[in-house]
Amino acid sequence: MGALIKLILLLLVAVFLASEVNLSTSLYRYEDNEIELTFPVWQTDNPWYYLKWNPSAGEFEQRVMSEQ
């Protein structure tokens, strides 16, 4: 069980390292807080997975590349 948890954590770190993460934060304006994740980093025009979250606007956008 411990080996499975280590493997999952290792895979999550590998995915994170292969992703482009844009984090915008502000202590003064709640509207400026946002996170944008694009996976993989070498394919930013047509990513396999895209996530954008802005908690102040209630905006949550998630796209997964579909098979053509």
Side-chain angles (χ1 to χ4, degrees):
M1 187 66 166
L4 179 63
I5 292 172
K6 287 180 186 178
L7 179 64
I8 290 172
L9 287 175
L10 182 65
L11 289 175
L12 285 175
V13 167
V15 166
F16 184 72
L17 289 174
S19 300
E20 178 182 351
V21 179
N22 296 323
L23 180 64
S24 303
T25 60
S26 174
L27 292 173
Y28 305 107
R29 288 186 39 119
Y30 184 64
E31 294 83 19
D32 292 341
N33 297 332
E34 178 177 275
I35 187 166
E36 186 175 11
L37 181 122
T38 306
F39 175 77
V41 71
W42 60 86
Q43 198 171 7
T44 56
D45 294 337
N46 190 16
W48 299 341
Y49 181 76
Y50 175 80
L51 172 89
K52 183 177 181 181
W53 179 50
N54 186 336
S56 66
E59 177 186 16
F60 183 78
E61 181 182 349
Q62 181 178 4
R63 290 186 306 231
V64 178
M65 186 179 88
S66 61
E67 297 291 328
Q68 270 97 7

